């Protein structure tokens, strides 16, 4: 497989951030879950940085009328920057500028949370004529280490069509996931997809490859999104549009990512991510590690 520079297949990344965030209530009554900080940085900035590192030049954030703070987060704040600059707080200044320096941010609005597929469809007017494919990154799914989009791009360059990301999950734990029906290719980490089953019982799962929140989708997805009807949960599902494309002979592959992930969409997963990231920082890591070790050894009365 050749390097990312020669296999760049997308320039636009879409980040759907218009969901209701019900698993994170009551906080999400007022704060969009995409802005909750993993240590000090909102999950959506981590995902924007991943998209930029993979070669995206534009980020289309799909947001809802009540969640404009998500887009404001990426805007310049000249007064704050002048204040930090005048006080010589250069490390903070750099952090504050990071978000808007990453890539050009645009907004699409999803008036009602009608599902992930519907959210992605709202970004179609933002596409450029030469966007033959787009990346979609779910901001509550951290895929670690980053770099899977580069490999997905190389797979599209080789096979065409659309490319999704999968994790190899032990069969007994497969039930909460969307699971791919696949056959092998010459590369152990790349599989051809023939279908998908949502939340199967372990004995019914067609494989142990479960879907993760990274997609590299051919532009044909926008036409497919217009032709699907509400599926699971009464929502327009992105995976139903992918399934429709597969049934019409459109090539779909998965890249099996051998790494970790954090689900930032629920408090338990979010806490793990925060601890994981904090343990890696020189600023908070050593004292957090010492405190956690002591705390775990201490039964509270
Ligand atoms: P989730 O299902 O994780 O988000 O969707 P949610 O619906 O906000 O969360 P819960 O289940 O109520 O707790 C994955 C991503 O898709 C976006 C969400 O914002 C999230 O980033 N999404 C989902 C939309 O933009 N619109 C939708 O209609 C649904």
């Amino acid at each position: 497989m050749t390097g990312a520079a020669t296999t760049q297949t997308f320039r636009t990344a879409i980040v759907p951030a218009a969901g209701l965030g019900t698993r994170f209530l009551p906080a999400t009554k007022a704060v969009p879950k995409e802005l909750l900080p993993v240590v000090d940085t909102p999950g959506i900035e981590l995902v924007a940085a991943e998209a930029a590192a993979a070669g995206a030049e534009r980020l289309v954030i799909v947001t809802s009328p009540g969640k404009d703070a998500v887009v404001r987060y990426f805007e310049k704040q000249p007064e704050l920057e002048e204040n930090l600059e005048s006080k010589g707080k250069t490390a903070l200044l750099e952090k504050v500028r990071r978000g808007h320096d990453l890539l050009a941010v645009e907004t699409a609005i999803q008036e009602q949370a009608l599902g992930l597929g519907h959210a992605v469809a709202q970004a179609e007017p933002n596409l450029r004529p030469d966007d033959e494919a787009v990346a979609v990154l779910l901001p509550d799914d951290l895929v670690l280490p980053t770099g899977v989009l580069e490999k997905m791009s190389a797979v599209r360059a080789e096979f065409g069509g659309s490319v999704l990301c999968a994790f190899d999950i032990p069969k007994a734990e497969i039930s909460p996931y969307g699971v791919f029906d696949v056959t092998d290719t010459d590369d152990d980490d790349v599989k051809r997809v023939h279908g998908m089953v949502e939340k199967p019982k372990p004995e019914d799962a067609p494989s142990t490859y479960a879907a993760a929140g990274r997609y590299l989708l051919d532009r044909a997805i926008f036409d497919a999104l217009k032709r699907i009807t509400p599926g699971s949960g009464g929502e327009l599902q992105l995976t139903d549009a992918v399934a429709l494309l597969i049934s019409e002979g459109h090539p779909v592959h998965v890249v099996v990512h051998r790494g970790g992930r954090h689900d930032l969409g629920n408090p338990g997963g979010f806490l793990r991510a925060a601890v994981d990231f904090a343990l890696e920082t020189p600023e908070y890591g050593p004292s957090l590690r010492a405190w956690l070790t002591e705390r775990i050894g201490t039964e509270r009365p």
Side-chain angles (χ1 to χ4, degrees):
M1 212 139 290
T2 42
T6 52
T7 59
Q8 187 68 47
T9 56
F10 66 94
R11 296 283 170 211
T12 298
I14 300 171
V15 175
L20 300 176
T22 49
R23 286 170 296 159
F24 237 121
L25 285 169
T28 43
K29 276 163 66 185
V31 186
K33 72 173 172 184
E34 295 80 7
L35 291 183
L36 296 174
V38 180
V39 188
D40 59 8
T41 304
I44 196 163
E45 184 185 315
L46 300 175
V47 164
E50 178 187 338
E57 291 162 5
R58 299 190 310 128
L59 191 73
V60 183
I61 300 178
V62 184
T63 186
S64 62
K67 289 177 80 175
D68 43 332
V70 177
V71 177
R72 270 208 314 279
Y73 177 77
F74 287 94
E75 287 169 2
K76 271 186 185 283
Q77 297 211 3
E79 274 180 35
L80 174 62
E81 290 181 25
E82 274 162 34
N83 182 300
L84 293 173
E85 202 156 22
S86 69
K87 291 179 179 147
K89 297 191 173 179
T90 43
L92 276 180
L93 187 61
E94 199 222 316
K95 284 187 184 186
V96 163
R97 285 180 173 157
R98 218 169 36 197
H100 57 71
D101 286 351
L102 278 171
L103 67 190
V105 173
E106 294 180 17
T107 317
I109 300 289
Q110 186 189 28
E111 293 287 344
Q112 268 183 296
L114 298 179
L116 178 58
H118 182 258
V120 170
Q122 306 315 305
E124 188 178 8
N126 296 71
L127 299 193
R128 301 283 193 270
D130 61 350
D131 279 327
E132 289 172 12
V134 293
V136 175
L137 297 88
L138 302 194
D140 52 5
D141 197 354
L142 293 187
V143 176
L144 303 166
T146 55
V148 72
L149 278 174
E150 285 89 331
K151 171 114 188 185
M152 290 162 68
S153 203
V155 171
R156 174 171 155 94
E158 188 175 349
F159 295 105
S162 298
V163 188
L164 279 55
C165 174
F167 276 76
D168 195 1
I169 304 271
K171 206 173 174 81
E173 296 164 27
I174 203 87
S175 291
Y177 298 98
V179 182
F180 296 108
D181 183 4
V182 296
T183 48
D184 290 340
T185 69
D186 291 343
D187 184 336
D188 242 10
D189 293 340
V190 179
K191 312 279 176 196
R192 172 96 190 215
V193 181
H194 304 282
M196 224 182 143
V197 181
E198 278 301 328
K199 302 184 174 46
K201 288 186 196 145
E203 61 272 26
D204 298 333
S207 74
T208 54
Y209 299 111
R214 300 291 178 274
Y215 308 78
L216 177 55
L217 298 169
D218 188 278
R219 197 177 179 126
I221 196 73
F222 291 96
D223 180 59
L225 283 167
K226 291 179 190 125
R227 294 187 283 130
I228 56 166
T229 50
S232 160
E235 296 189 339
L236 288 168
Q237 300 288 354
L238 187 58
T239 49
D240 287 347
V242 174
L244 179 59
L245 288 180
I246 292 173
S247 74
E248 294 170 349
H250 178 91
V252 176
H253 290 79
V254 284
V255 169
V256 182
H257 183 66
R258 317 275 176 193
R261 76 192 288 197
H262 288 298
D263 178 2
L264 302 180
N266 71 85
F270 181 85
L271 275 172
R272 279 190 197 189
V275 171
D276 192 18
F277 275 58
L279 286 172
E280 297 301 319
T281 64
E283 203 175 352
Y284 308 113
S287 69
L288 177 64
R289 186 177 302 275
W291 181 82
L292 276 173
T293 309
E294 194 200 330
R295 175 68 186 81
I296 287 163
T298 315
E299 281 295 318
R300 287 265 155 95

